[in-house]
Amino acid sequence: AFVVYIALSMWSQTNNYVQSYKISSDIRLKLGDKLRKLSLGFFKQHDPGDVTGRILHDVTKAEHNLSHTLPDMISALIIPLMLGGFLITVSIILSSILFAGFLLALIALYISQSIVTLLGKKHIKAISDTSSRVLEYCDTIKLLKAHDMTGESFETMRKSMKTLKKLSFKTEVYAGIPAQIFLLILDMCYLFMLSLGVWLSYNNKIS
């Protein structure tokens, strides 16, 4: 069973990553082809950092969801369901603890997700703004040097990067705390369930 598990894991992970990268590359090529057909007016009306962010940052996020998040979500759902189904046949008490802990942990997960949704929009805007400032600086570096204005332009880019750093930190930390509480509740639930299972078994309450 272990050998079969390793073989299937190697096949599934390799295939998963290859397909995820293929999908992301196809999306970038389609976006590039779409941009090539757009009029110059589109690029004048839209921030260049926002366009760049769509192709680079947003597609990378989608790629990460396909290659990492989706498989983790599937295993995170299947394993507790299998374990819970097995525990129901062994002990209603133990299975109740498992499901009660899971429902309690979901509250912390919901809080984390709400924080990500709230700060995520600001974070994405900060990424686009920073990309725009970097592109502007690179495009006009010769002109800025000719007029000895590199310091002033760099200060604008530095402020943009500082804002991005602050929002990145907030998004990770503020959302990370309830996410860690979610994991802590699950771990404590398993520990309590295991301790109770040992006690029940020792007192011949379960086989």
Side-chain angles (χ1 to χ4, degrees), residues 13 44 53 109 128 170 196 201:
Q13 289 192 28
K44 289 180 179 179
L109 190 64
S128 298
K170 280 185 177 180
L196 182 60
S201 178

Side-chain angles (χ1 to χ4, degrees), residues 19-48:
Q19 292 302 321
S20 298
Y21 297 145
K22 185 178 182 299
I23 290 170
S24 64
S25 64
D26 289 344
I27 291 172
R28 285 194 175 98
L29 288 171
K30 286 180 180 178
L31 284 171
D33 190 54
K34 177 72 174 178
L35 289 170
R36 183 175 60 84
K37 296 175 182 178
L38 294 173
S39 64
L40 289 174
F42 172 85
F43 296 99
K44 289 180 179 179
Q45 293 173 3
H46 291 79
D47 197 317

Side-chain angles (χ1 to χ4, degrees), residues 55-139:
I55 297 175
L56 298 177
H57 180 264
D58 290 3
V59 177
T60 300
K61 285 288 185 184
E63 175 191 294
H64 186 274
N65 286 337
L66 289 171
S67 61
H68 293 77
T69 308
L70 186 60
D72 289 344
M73 283 176 62
I74 292 171
S75 62
L77 287 171
I78 291 175
I79 292 173
L81 287 173
M82 290 177 64
L83 180 59
F86 168 73
L87 279 174
I88 289 174
T89 64
V90 176
S91 171
I92 296 296
I93 297 174
L94 295 180
S95 59
S96 298
I97 293 171
L98 177 70
F99 287 113
F102 177 70
L103 291 174
L104 183 63
L106 279 179
I107 298 172
L109 190 64
Y110 174 77
I111 294 171
S112 177
Q113 186 60 46
S114 299
I115 294 171
V116 169
T117 303
L118 182 65
L119 295 177
K121 294 177 182 178
K122 296 179 181 179
H123 189 223
I124 290 171
K125 186 179 182 304
I127 291 171
S128 298
D129 290 343
T130 303
S131 298
S132 298
R133 300 296 80 75
V134 172
L135 287 170
E136 287 173 0
Y137 191 74
C138 292
D139 288 341

Side-chain angles (χ1 to χ4, degrees), residues 146-178:
H147 292 82
D148 196 26
M149 295 172 62
T150 52
E152 295 175 23
S153 181
F154 185 77
E155 181 63 22
T156 304
M157 187 170 66
R158 190 187 68 80
K159 287 179 179 178
S160 180
M161 288 183 169
K162 189 175 181 181
T163 302
L164 176 59
K165 178 184 176 182
K166 188 183 296 183
L167 282 170
S168 297
F169 180 79
K170 280 185 177 180
T171 305
E172 291 289 340
V173 174
Y174 292 177
I177 291 172

